[in-house]
Amino acid sequence: PLFKSKSRLFLHNKNKGLKESILDGLSRISAVNDAFIVIEDDILVSKYFLTYMVNALEAYKDSSLIWHINGYSDIDLFHCGDSVLTRAMRCWGWATWSQKWKNYSEDIDLLQDDKPTLIRDINFNGAYNYWKQITLNRKSIINTWAIYWYVSIIYGGGLCLTPTRSLTVNIGDDGTGTHLANSNVIVRDFYCWDRVPSYHVVKEENSKYLDVLRKELIRMNRIHNPRFIKRLLIRISYYISKLKNSLMSLFLSTTKM
């Protein structure tokens, strides 16, 4: 079997932080296992999550195309089937193989020759600026790992297997977390599944899923963009002023009558 029922607990004397804890833990696990499933403490999973992960890990263990298995899906797109392939890497309940994890790299300087194409692909053709996280990490403004894994997958020509409806939900968006301080994330309802989703997919990125996801990312980017909010407030103010003037003109014309 791919997984054996054996537990090991690693304890540290101090809080190492999310990034170092994840990387240290996966380094230990990948050294002695062919594959692994990652669930952080603020992730709730569907009762079908583990079965889906185990089945998919076994089915695609020899695949050169599939590098990562998502538990979370940003959008509900059930008419595309149970699962699709997408470039979108999500770390809210996920799995991969140790051989694939060996490609994890933070050496972005090695990517300079392919940087323009890489940035375009990572940012979903301008829909959302994920590359900004690389810049913020390099300036030590943030300290995260997931963006580097995402870049490593794209750079290696990999894709991610994703259920078309989420199998996980993040409950750590109450303001107490380090990297998810605001509740800007859409909570997916993973109770919609009444069975284990099928993991069989066409071996290419699903264009319908990509198109809908790009539109969702553009929408989110606009909503959370301060400049967009400022422009929206200016426009609202303009129409309120215009309405006031119209009402005043109407009042004056009525008075003269």
Side-chain angles (χ1 to χ4, degrees):
L2 191 63
F3 289 93
K4 299 177 181 179
S5 56
K6 183 179 180 181
S7 300
R8 297 182 66 186
L9 181 64
F10 299 98
L11 301 175
H12 299 280
N13 294 325
K14 64 178 182 179
N15 186 346
K16 301 178 65 174
L18 177 60
K19 179 179 179 179
E20 294 306 315
S21 295
I22 288 287
L23 295 182
D24 178 65
L26 297 188
S27 176
R28 292 171 182 265
I29 295 299
S30 62
V32 294
N33 293 279
D34 294 331
F36 50 86
I37 300 170
V38 183
I39 310 170
E40 295 179 33
D41 59 0
D42 55 359
I43 304 299
L44 294 182
V45 303
S46 160
K47 62 182 180 180
Y48 303 114
F49 169 81
L50 285 176
T51 303
Y52 178 80
M53 290 289 168
V54 171
N55 288 347
L57 283 170
E58 181 63 36
Y60 297 115
K61 62 183 178 182
D62 297 320
S63 171
S64 60
L65 179 62
I66 301 176
W67 283 41
H68 177 101
I69 305 170
N70 290 322
Y72 180 80
S73 175
D74 300 78
I75 54 178
D76 293 340
L77 210 63
F78 209 46
H79 65 273
C80 284
D82 286 7
S83 300
V84 295
L85 291 184
T86 174
R87 72 189 67 175
M89 187 284 300
R90 298 297 181 248
C91 59
W92 294 348
W94 60 283
T96 191
W97 300 265
S98 298
Q99 278 299 120
K100 298 294 194 309
W101 182 249
K102 287 181 180 179
N103 294 284
Y104 175 91
S105 174
E106 297 184 15
D107 194 353
I108 301 301
D109 293 333
L110 294 176
L111 313 178
Q112 293 301 320
D113 293 340
D114 299 311
K115 193 173 179 180
T117 302
L118 190 66
I119 292 177
R120 182 198 65 199
D121 290 344
I122 286 169
N123 290 345
F124 289 84
N125 299 329
Y128 196 91
N129 190 6
Y130 283 107
W131 188 264
K132 183 179 180 180
Q133 294 183 38
I134 295 292
T135 304
L136 294 177
N137 269 288
R138 302 193 81 177
K139 291 181 177 179
S140 299
I141 296 175
I142 62 175
N143 186 33
T144 61
W145 64 272
I147 185 62
Y148 291 107
W149 177 226
Y150 178 31
V151 172
S152 300
I153 293 171
I154 300 299
Y155 183 69
L159 290 173
C160 306
L161 179 72
T162 303
T164 50
R165 288 186 179 182
S166 193
L167 288 166
T168 70
V169 63
N170 189 318
I171 60 171
D173 60 344
D174 59 356
T176 61
T178 300
H179 301 301
L180 194 61
N182 299 312
S183 299
N184 293 333
V185 179
I186 299 174
V187 176
R188 315 312 309 181
D189 181 10
F190 56 64
Y191 295 108
C192 62
W193 289 107
D194 58 3
R195 55 181 171 75
V196 179
S198 171
Y199 50 82
H200 298 291
V201 291
V202 177
K203 302 299 177 63
E204 61 182 16
E205 186 165 27
N206 187 286
S207 59
K208 291 182 180 178
Y209 189 91
L210 176 61
D211 183 56
V212 174
L213 181 55
R214 283 193 72 254
K215 291 177 181 177
E216 175 65 16
L217 291 173
I218 290 171
R219 187 190 70 82
M220 290 177 60
N221 194 36
R222 286 176 176 172
I223 290 174
H224 304 140
N225 190 326
R227 286 181 295 179
F228 170 78
I229 296 173
K230 184 178 180 180
R231 290 197 302 269
L232 180 62
L233 291 174
I234 291 173
R235 179 161 293 189
I236 291 173
S237 177
Y238 166 76
Y239 283 114
I240 290 175
S241 177
K242 192 174 181 179
L243 178 61
K244 284 182 178 179
N245 292 334
S246 298
L247 291 174
M248 182 60 70
S249 298
L250 178 62
F251 173 75
L252 292 175
S253 62
T254 304
T255 305
K256 288 179 181 180
M257 292 174 61

